[in-house]
């Protein structure tokens, strides 16, 4: 196997100038680790295809692919109807993996993992719950001695797919949140302080006593941060894991629309983690360059056959089987 | 005598345009005893200049090139301004000039205004100036007037080193060092001593307007102090000696002889520092809390024009949102121009009736 790879790379170097297919993509930062791994592995196996990916953010990914500046985009946020109708280049969304957003906190003297209901999280960020010993937090955490200190809510100051998933969940569980501030990659946060990036929130929460924030599951796992469980639609407190996230996707698979625009936050099911989401690649439906379209379709096929298995190692949840089958049919239409 | 020698020397050279060499070894001097040309030019330089033709073309083209360089500044400023206006059109049409006085910033509802960010930018920069200017002047006065010679070079070197540190390093330092100090030491101290002013009420989490101002002050301190030091060094010693000769004390000498003579330069140095403070992005966004607020206590989080652009631009979806962010850039541009104009007026007002030097 190794010899084959080396031989292939040598061959690639020799033939690179002549026939290498360069494919450029840009978009979401959240799936960047797994995409980088996939693209580099795929290029080693297929030396004539080179996929470059820039993680510039979901908003930028949607903008660039619909204006035709890159060959494909990536986003953690579904495109709005206005974006779809206004796009110069029509694109289709292909789900690739799933991720989750987890609540993190730093309360001196509390080592037990906490439980949070969705409406409690919403009210913390609305400024209605201001201290850790609030009766509603205590109700979800019997037996934990919570201090009477003021909560410092921390949010993402940069626009982010993570914020979108998080606020989408809050809007579903809290009518007050739904009316204002609502859901979005960047919103008008009523209280708290903003920090840039997952690392900004993690750093702030780690060093500020009595703070509360939210980060992506992979970020929390890779940095060995403890995170709380969240109450799902069945009323059960569930901790985020690849299994509980895939369970949320499986519940949604039955109602999966043809364009894959579906929100799986607060999904039904006993073991589902409620703040979960797909992340999508955005592929032009009619590429100007049929060679590129074919190379992309080949890559997506490889992703389903081999890539999904590698996702778990990086704590991304793989697509459930029914969704994989659906995606396979969609890829066949890429031209 | 010497001119004919020049002519001879040049004739032997391959290039006729080469400039004459004014000093020659004595060996060639001896050959000049019989000058071949009697009607040689009266001056070697004039002769050389005449031989190489008129300089009018060169002069004119040089002037034209310099004019072009000067105009490029106008062109760049106009170009930036034009692009900002064009790309902020949707937002300009939607909100008009009221954009600069509105407080809303709600990307979900598509409701935007720049006032909290303008406030944050001005408040952090001015607070930073209040802290940095006295300190910088003190450093400069010490370095030029009082510092023992062996200490002068190391302190100057360190000041310039501070100016070269990238802002993200300042930001990291602020997050890990300044924020805890602010939260646990400086904040409680300020509440205890200056709490009665009302400026230091509310919860103190270590990040906020005051922390951002402190990091800005540290960042602009080296700029102001090293420039001020250079300006003070340029004050002629005769000025100092004259003041001392009149019986002034050392402090009076510094005040009358040095500070008064260099005040225009000092204002210029402060303006450069203010310019950096207004546009500083990275370090500020890491410690200011990024929550648009107006008129809250100094511990409360705020947001600046530069940090909201840096934070939200990459994920801005929708034309109105994007154009509002570009209009924030336009606001930053205008704030810088207005602040600089006010500074010019201040310099003018200070120097209008008083000469720069004491006669």
């Amino acid at each position: 196997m190794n010899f084959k790879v080396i031989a292939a790379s040598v061959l690639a170097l020799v033939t690179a100038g002549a026939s290498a297919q360069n494919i450029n993509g840009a978009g979401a930062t959240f799936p960047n680790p797994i995409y980088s791994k996939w693209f580099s592995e795929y290029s080693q196996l297929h030396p004539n295809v080179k996929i470059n990916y820039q993680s510039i953010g979901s908003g930028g990914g949607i903008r660039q692919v619909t204006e035709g500046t890159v060959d494909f985009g990536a986003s953690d946020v579904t495109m709005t109807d206005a974006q779809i109708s206004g796009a110069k280049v029509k694109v289709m969304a292909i789900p690739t993996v799933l991720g989750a957003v987890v609540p993190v906190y730093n309360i001196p003297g509390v080592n037990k993992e906490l439980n949070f209901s969705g409406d409690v999280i919403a009210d913390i960020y609305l400024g209605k719950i201001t201290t850790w010993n609030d009766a509603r937090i205590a109700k979800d955490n019997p037996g934990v001695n919570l201090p009477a200190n003021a909560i410092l809510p921390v949010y993402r100051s940069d626009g982010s797919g993570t914020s979108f998933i998080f606020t989408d969940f809050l809007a579903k569980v809290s009518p007050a949140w739904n009316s204002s501030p609502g859901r979005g990659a960047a919103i008008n946060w009523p209280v708290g302080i903003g920090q840039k990036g997952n690392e900004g929130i993690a750093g702030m929460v780690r060093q500020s006593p009595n703070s509360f924030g939210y980060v992506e599951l992979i970020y929390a796992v890779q940095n060995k941060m403890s995170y709380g469980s969240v109450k799902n639609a069945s009323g059960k407190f569930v901790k985020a894991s690849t299994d509980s996230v895939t369970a949320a996707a499986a519940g949604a698979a039955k109602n999966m629309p043809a364009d894959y625009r579906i929100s799986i936050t607060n999904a039904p099911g006993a073991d589902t983690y409620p703040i979960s989401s797909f992340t999508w690649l955005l592929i032009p439906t009619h590429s100007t360059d049929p060679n590129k379209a074919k190379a992309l379709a080949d890559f997506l096929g490889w992703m389903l056959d081999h890539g999904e298995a590698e996702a778990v190692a990086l704590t991304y949840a793989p697509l459930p089987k029914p969704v994989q089958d659906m995606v396979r049919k969609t890829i066949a239409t890429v031209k | 005598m010497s001119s004919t020698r020049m002519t001879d020397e040049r004739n032997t050279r391959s290039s006729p345009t080469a400039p004459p060499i004014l000093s020659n070894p004595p060996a060639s001097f001896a050959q000049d005893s019989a000058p071949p040309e009697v009607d040689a030019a009266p001056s070697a330089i004039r002769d050389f200049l005449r031989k190489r033709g008129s300089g009018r073309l060169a002069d004119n083209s040089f002037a034209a090139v310099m004019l072009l360089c000067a105009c490029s500044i106008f062109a760049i400023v106009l170009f930036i301004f034009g692009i900002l206006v064009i790309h902020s059109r949707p937002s300009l049409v939607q909100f008009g000039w009221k954009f600069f006085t509105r407080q809303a910033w709600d990307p979900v509802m598509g409701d935007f205004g720049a006032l909290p960010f303008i406030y944050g930018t001005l408040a952090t920069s001015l607070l930073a100036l209040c802290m940095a200017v006295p300190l910088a002047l003190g450093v400069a006065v010490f370095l030029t007037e009082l510092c023992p010679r062996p200490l002068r070079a190391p302190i100057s070197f360190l000041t310039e080193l501070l100016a070269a540190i990238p802002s993200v390093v300042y930001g990291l330092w602020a997050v890990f060092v300044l924020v805890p100090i602010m939260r646990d030491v400086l904040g409680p101290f300020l509440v205890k001593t200056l709490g009665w002013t009302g400026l230091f009420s509310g919860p103190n989490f270590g990040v906020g307007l005051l922390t951002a101002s402190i990091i800005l002050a540290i960042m602009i301190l080296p700029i102001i102090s090293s420039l001020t030091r250079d300006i003070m060094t340029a004050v002629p010693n005769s000025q100092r000696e004259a003041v001392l000769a009149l019986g002034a004390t050392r402090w009076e000498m510094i005040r009358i002889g040095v500070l008064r003579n260099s005040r225009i330069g000092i204002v210029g140095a402060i303006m450069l520092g203010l310019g950096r403070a207004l546009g500083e992005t990275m370090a500020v966004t890491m410690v200011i809390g990024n929550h648009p607020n107006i008129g809250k206590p100094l511990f409360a989080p705020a947001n600046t024009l530069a940090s909201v652009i840096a934070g939200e631009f990459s994920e801005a979806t929708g034309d109105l949102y994007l154009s509002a962010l570009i209009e924030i850039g336009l606001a930053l541009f205008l704030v810088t121009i207005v602040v600089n104009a006010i500074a010019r007026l201040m310099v003018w007002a200070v120097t209008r009736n008083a000469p720069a030097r004491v006669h």
Side-chain angles (χ1 to χ4, degrees):
Chain A
M1 179 61 201
N2 262 336
F3 277 103
K4 266 187 201 166
V5 171
I6 292 164
S9 333
V10 171
L11 202 68
L13 283 172
V14 174
T15 57
S19 62
Q21 181 81 54
N22 260 313
I23 300 176
N24 298 314
T29 47
F30 152 69
N32 186 35
I34 183 72
Y35 285 178
S36 309
K37 188 166 153 61
W38 282 349
F39 295 151
S40 84
E41 265 180 36
Y42 191 74
S43 289
Q44 280 185 345
L45 295 169
H46 303 81
N48 54 338
V49 178
K50 182 148 177 33
I51 307 178
N52 307 306
Y53 183 72
Q54 291 181 350
S55 56
I56 57 168
S58 300
I62 292 175
R63 210 160 50 232
Q64 300 238 338
V65 72
T66 53
E67 283 173 5
T69 31
V70 291
D71 302 318
F72 69 93
S75 175
D76 305 333
V77 183
T78 50
M79 285 171 72
T80 60
D81 292 333
Q83 280 171 340
I84 290 174
S85 61
K88 275 187 218 150
V89 177
K90 301 290 170 205
V91 296
M92 62 168 112
I94 310 272
T96 52
V97 288
L98 294 117
V101 179
V102 296
V104 290
Y105 49 85
N106 173 359
I107 315 170
V110 174
N111 298 319
K112 201 168 168 289
E113 277 176 9
L114 296 184
N115 295 327
F116 295 97
S117 305
D119 56 322
V120 168
I121 299 177
D123 282 354
I124 288 175
Y125 279 100
L126 284 170
K128 290 181 188 162
I129 294 179
T130 53
T131 56
W132 278 112
N133 65 346
D134 190 280
R136 289 169 62 199
I137 303 179
K139 203 183 105 209
D140 292 338
N141 298 284
V144 181
N145 189 16
L146 290 158
N149 296 325
I151 303 175
L152 168 64
V154 187
Y155 58 84
R156 285 281 288 270
S157 64
D158 49 332
S160 149
T162 313
S163 290
F164 180 86
I165 298 164
F166 188 66
T167 55
D168 182 50
F169 167 68
L170 296 184
K172 280 185 186 171
V173 294
S174 159
W177 189 277
N178 195 25
S179 60
S180 171
R183 68 196 75 187
I187 64 161
N188 180 21
W189 294 91
V191 295
I193 61 167
Q195 288 292 311
K196 203 166 156 50
N198 279 306
E199 66 286 356
I201 291 196
M204 197 68 218
V205 168
R206 234 183 244 154
Q207 62 160 303
S208 302
N210 305 307
S211 55
F212 180 83
Y214 59 93
V215 295
E216 284 152 8
L217 172 63
I218 358 158
Y219 195 86
V221 170
Q222 285 178 351
N223 290 281
K224 301 191 170 53
M225 298 175 73
S226 64
Y227 48 91
S229 303
V230 181
K231 192 195 238 174
N232 67 13
S234 322
K236 196 174 154 195
F237 288 102
V238 176
K239 204 163 180 239
S241 67
T242 48
D243 290 340
S244 61
V245 173
T246 305
K254 293 187 242 27
N255 313 317
M256 182 65 85
D259 61 0
Y260 300 102
R261 280 202 294 160
I262 189 170
S263 157
I264 55 165
T265 51
N266 209 28
D271 301 314
T272 60
Y273 182 70
I275 323 180
S276 311
S277 173
F278 287 103
T279 182
W280 295 267
L281 281 179
L282 305 170
I283 312 282
T285 41
H286 288 86
S287 178
T288 47
D289 184 346
N291 290 331
K292 278 185 180 171
K294 187 176 177 309
L296 266 176
D298 288 348
F299 165 75
L300 290 170
W302 175 86
M303 174 193 85
L304 289 175
D305 294 336
H306 304 279
E308 292 290 324
E310 290 171 1
V312 184
L314 288 171
T315 68
Y316 293 92
L319 297 178
K321 192 78 182 58
V323 180
Q324 286 196 24
D325 294 341
M326 233 181 121
V327 170
R328 225 176 277 278
K329 285 188 196 125
T330 313
I331 296 170
T333 68
V334 173
K335 49 182 174 287
Chain B
M1 181 66 186
S2 74
S3 67
T4 54
R5 191 184 79 221
M6 286 299 146
T7 322
D8 277 357
E9 178 74 16
R10 194 165 65 242
N11 287 343
T12 61
R13 284 170 181 268
S14 55
S15 159
T17 54
I21 296 165
L22 291 173
S23 65
N24 260 1
S28 66
F29 189 79
Q31 296 172 353
D32 292 338
S33 51
E37 291 172 57
V38 188
D39 58 340
S43 145
I45 295 169
R46 186 177 295 166
D47 181 46
F48 166 69
L49 289 175
R50 201 177 57 217
K51 281 248 164 95
R52 60 191 277 278
S54 157
R56 189 174 294 161
L57 182 69
D59 282 354
N60 286 347
S61 47
F62 177 73
V65 168
M66 291 303 110
L67 182 69
L68 213 64
C69 291
C71 286
S72 70
I73 299 288
F74 284 102
I76 290 168
V77 170
L78 277 180
F79 185 65
I80 293 174
F81 188 76
I83 290 290
L84 285 175
V85 170
I86 290 168
H87 283 272
S88 55
R89 248 191 87 100
S91 160
L92 276 169
V93 169
Q94 178 91 12
F95 305 111
W97 293 105
K98 285 226 172 82
F99 180 81
F100 300 109
T101 56
R102 295 168 51 125
Q103 288 207 28
W105 189 263
D106 191 339
V108 179
M109 307 299 290
D111 194 9
F112 301 103
L115 194 63
F117 307 106
I118 294 175
Y119 166 81
T121 300
L122 289 177
T124 47
S125 302
L126 295 180
L127 263 177
L129 274 192
C130 290
M131 289 182 261
V133 168
L135 211 57
L137 286 185
V139 170
V141 165
F142 178 77
L143 279 177
T144 50
E145 308 299 328
L146 308 170
C147 186
R149 199 163 284 277
L151 264 182
R152 202 171 285 180
I155 296 184
S156 307
F157 176 72
L158 280 180
T159 337
E160 270 144 36
L161 192 74
L162 267 185
I165 296 176
S167 61
V168 67
V169 177
Y170 277 110
L172 279 178
W173 178 80
V175 166
F176 290 113
V177 180
L178 192 59
V179 168
I181 290 178
M182 193 65 204
R183 184 179 60 228
D184 302 328
V185 185
L186 196 57
F189 172 76
L190 285 171
V191 171
K192 214 165 73 184
T193 51
L194 293 168
W196 50 270
T197 56
L199 288 173
F200 302 103
S201 54
N204 168 25
F205 295 111
V207 292
L209 191 67
L210 188 60
T211 316
S213 306
I214 292 175
I215 195 68
L216 274 182
I218 296 173
M219 292 173 78
I220 63 177
L221 172 70
I223 297 176
I224 303 179
S225 65
S226 63
L227 279 172
T228 308
R229 190 205 57 195
D230 290 348
I231 292 153
M232 287 180 178
T233 320
V235 172
N237 265 337
S238 58
Q239 293 283 324
R240 296 187 177 84
E241 287 157 8
V243 178
L244 287 174
L246 288 172
T249 61
R250 198 172 207 186
W251 159 239
E252 283 167 336
M253 182 271 283
I254 292 170
R255 190 167 57 88
I256 301 169
V258 180
L259 285 177
R260 197 174 160 82
N261 276 330
S262 45
R263 62 190 167 176
I264 296 179
I266 293 174
V267 173
I270 294 173
M271 284 306 112
L272 271 178
L274 181 61
R276 175 157 193 196
L278 286 174
E280 178 48 48
T281 311
M282 205 55 224
V284 170
T285 200
M286 290 167 91
V287 293
I288 198 169
N290 301 303
H291 193 102
N293 273 333
I294 293 184
K296 290 279 180 69
L298 296 181
F299 289 148
N303 211 341
T304 67
L305 292 163
S307 62
V308 71
I309 298 174
E312 299 187 11
F313 194 80
S314 65
E315 291 279 345
T317 45
D319 290 343
L320 186 64
Y321 189 12
L322 201 63
S323 67
L325 279 171
I326 294 170
E327 199 173 349
I328 289 276
L330 185 65
L332 183 55
F333 194 78
L334 294 177
V335 163
T336 318
I337 290 175
V338 168
V339 167
N340 270 308
I342 292 173
R344 292 263 159 211
L345 280 177
M346 270 166 56
V347 175
W348 178 73
V350 168
T351 55
R352 186 177 39 166
N353 293 322
R357 287 186 176 178
V358 184
H359 289 293

